[in-house]
Amino acid sequence: MKNELFIKNNIGDEGEQMYLVIGDIVEKVNIVAPSTKCEDVYKIFDENPSLEGIVVCTGEQPIGLVMKTQFFQKLSTKYGFDLFMKRTIDLVMDQELLVVDFSAPIAEVSTLAMNRKQANLYDYVVVTKQGSIYGIVSMRDLIIKLSEVQINIARYSNPLSGLPGNNVIEEKLQEILTYENFSVFYLDIDLFKVFNDTYGFREGDVLLKETANIISETILTSANEPSFVGHIGGDDFIAVIPHYDHELLCEAIINRFDQFILRFYSDEERKKGYIRAITRQGTVENVPLVSISIAVVQNKNFIISTVEQLSKKAAELKKKCKEFKHSVFLTLDDAEGETDASQYEELVR
């Protein structure tokens, strides 16, 4: 899953079930010491027909795994019963067990489990917490839960970018309004329709996907505190951080975007800074190169208590961003100060 990197931060209440970690589906497990006799392990399996495996631990640290199927196979070989029953389980246990931390994402664990040897594909996944045994997850439960996660991701995420869609975005915005400090970034690609009409939908999809990557990687890997990125739809994105330190994040997004967008243009178009294209009015004009606008709405000097107020402020700010012919970010303070495009050009020189 594409956005597994961002799982821990990129959730709302509605989307929590999409981003389970392995510890969320763990089960208790029977534990034995390495000095336990095989006959005692046999008895445990015999008395618990539904039990599939046992973990061998030294203290609280797992060192081996005994799956019932393999255990019984060894006992059923010629002389196997007589050979092993009076001996200790450490001679029979599998030492190549898959051990993961309880905080590992389910999709990541699934990949590790499926990459095991064929003979071990259906072994338990052993889960630890701070190095101590925490429980096990069966492959059956792991596959079922992974399927549920993937279905929910498809349901609540934008199919193109893989980012959370409007259901999760709505939940996150309601949550962010309870924060003492927040910054909400409304981002959209300027002149995207002209770009799509000129270069085609395939290139348009490439641009949208890379824009999603740029925003996600910048926000979710740079902001250590809980943060969020969503795809509203089309060329509109949203990002949330629980503080006011927006400048470096906005600059990083713009710098990466402006570098990436150059790949679509010829050397001559880059030098001129525009292309000849058909506008929405149906006329052929000089159209600036695609840019990105970021409207940053903060509760720094403004009281914002509803999502509607937040959206209205963002719409006003985005309109002001459109006055510029290049990528730009503006805050509510910039709008209140009536900074126009020409004044902004002087400030950034």
Side-chain angles (χ1 to χ4, degrees):
M1 293 189 300
K2 180 179 177 182
N3 291 289
E4 197 68 43
L5 171 64
F6 314 125
I7 273 175
K8 295 304 290 181
N9 290 329
N10 211 12
I11 61 174
D13 292 339
E14 183 117 19
E16 282 185 9
Q17 59 181 321
M18 296 190 293
Y19 306 112
L20 295 173
V21 296
I22 198 67
D24 292 322
I25 60 170
V26 76
E27 298 177 22
K28 291 183 179 179
V29 62
N30 288 62
I31 299 171
V32 297
S35 58
T36 304
K37 293 289 198 312
C38 288
E39 59 184 352
D40 294 325
V41 173
Y42 180 90
K43 185 177 180 181
I44 293 173
F45 281 129
D46 188 53
E47 293 175 350
N48 299 274
S50 62
L51 185 64
E52 296 178 17
I54 294 172
V55 178
V56 182
C57 292
T58 299
E60 292 293 313
Q61 185 176 6
I63 62 169
L65 180 65
V66 182
M67 297 300 293
K68 179 166 66 175
T69 301
Q70 289 92 323
F71 180 64
F72 277 36
Q73 283 176 349
K74 287 185 178 180
L75 295 182
S76 65
T77 59
K78 190 175 182 179
Y79 308 120
F81 197 87
D82 294 331
L83 180 63
F84 292 112
M85 286 299 275
K86 296 297 181 180
R87 309 187 75 175
T88 55
I89 197 65
D90 57 336
L91 298 174
V92 178
M93 70 182 187
D94 189 344
Q95 298 181 51
E96 295 185 19
L97 63 166
L98 174 58
V99 181
V100 299
D101 187 76
F102 82 110
S103 63
I106 281 179
E108 179 182 308
V109 176
S110 176
T111 299
L112 293 172
M114 295 307 295
N115 285 334
R116 292 182 292 185
K117 297 176 182 177
Q118 183 69 32
N120 300 110
L121 275 181
Y122 294 98
D123 288 1
Y124 282 158
V125 174
V126 179
V127 182
T128 59
K129 186 174 184 180
Q130 296 179 342
S132 298
I133 185 70
Y134 190 67
I136 56 89
V137 174
S138 69
M139 280 302 293
R140 178 181 179 276
D141 288 346
L142 180 58
I143 292 170
I144 290 173
K145 190 56 65 174
L146 180 63
S147 297
E148 292 176 4
V149 168
Q150 291 174 331
I151 289 170
N152 281 318
I153 285 178
R155 181 180 177 186
Y156 291 108
S157 298
N158 184 284
L160 181 64
S161 65
L163 292 174
N166 288 326
N167 287 333
V168 182
I169 290 171
E170 179 72 19
E171 291 287 336
K172 190 63 182 181
L173 291 180
Q174 293 288 355
E175 176 190 328
I176 199 72
L177 291 173
T178 67
Y179 290 10
E180 183 178 354
N181 304 323
F182 68 75
S183 300
V184 179
F185 303 175
Y186 287 84
L187 311 94
D188 75 303
I189 303 172
D190 305 317
L191 303 169
F192 179 73
K193 185 180 185 305
V194 176
F195 178 91
N196 233 9
D197 293 343
T198 304
Y199 296 96
F201 289 106
R202 180 171 295 181
E203 294 288 54
D205 286 350
V206 171
L207 177 55
L208 288 174
K209 289 178 182 178
E210 183 58 24
T211 301
N213 289 340
I214 289 170
I215 297 169
S216 295
E217 291 172 9
T218 302
I219 296 294
L220 299 173
T221 60
S222 299
N224 293 324
E225 298 174 83
S227 49
F228 173 86
V229 174
H231 190 170
I232 298 170
D235 63 324
D236 293 309
F237 298 87
I238 191 169
V240 170
I241 55 174
H243 53 77
Y244 302 138
D245 299 329
H246 68 283
E247 291 94 344
L248 292 179
L249 296 173
C250 289
E251 288 170 1
I253 291 170
I254 287 174
N255 289 337
R256 285 189 59 182
F257 181 91
D258 286 350
Q259 284 299 310
F260 174 76
I261 199 65
L262 295 177
R263 59 162 285 185
F264 297 101
Y265 300 108
S266 66
D267 290 339
E268 183 179 356
E269 290 168 339
R270 295 173 193 169
K271 290 178 183 178
K272 290 180 177 179
Y274 64 83
I275 61 171
R276 295 288 290 172
I278 300 175
T279 66
R280 290 190 176 188
Q281 291 70 39
T283 59
V284 178
E285 298 179 12
N286 294 338
V287 179
L289 306 186
V290 169
S291 56
I292 190 168
S293 291
I294 310 176
V296 184
V297 181
Q298 301 171 318
N299 62 342
K300 190 174 183 179
N301 298 314
F302 302 87
I303 297 175
I304 303 174
S305 54
T306 67
V307 173
E308 289 72 24
Q309 289 176 337
L310 192 65
S311 300
K312 184 178 180 181
K313 291 285 187 183
E316 295 170 356
L317 200 51
K318 283 172 66 177
K319 186 176 180 181
K320 195 169 185 66
C321 288
K322 297 298 181 181
E323 297 176 10
F324 300 85
K325 304 302 181 184
H326 55 73
S327 298
V328 67
F329 67 91
L330 295 175
T331 66
L332 292 175
D333 288 334
D334 296 324
E336 287 293 308
E338 295 299 324
T339 302
D340 60 28
S342 61
Q343 290 174 321
Y344 185 87
E345 295 291 352
E346 290 296 324
L347 289 173
V348 297
R349 281 177 187 170

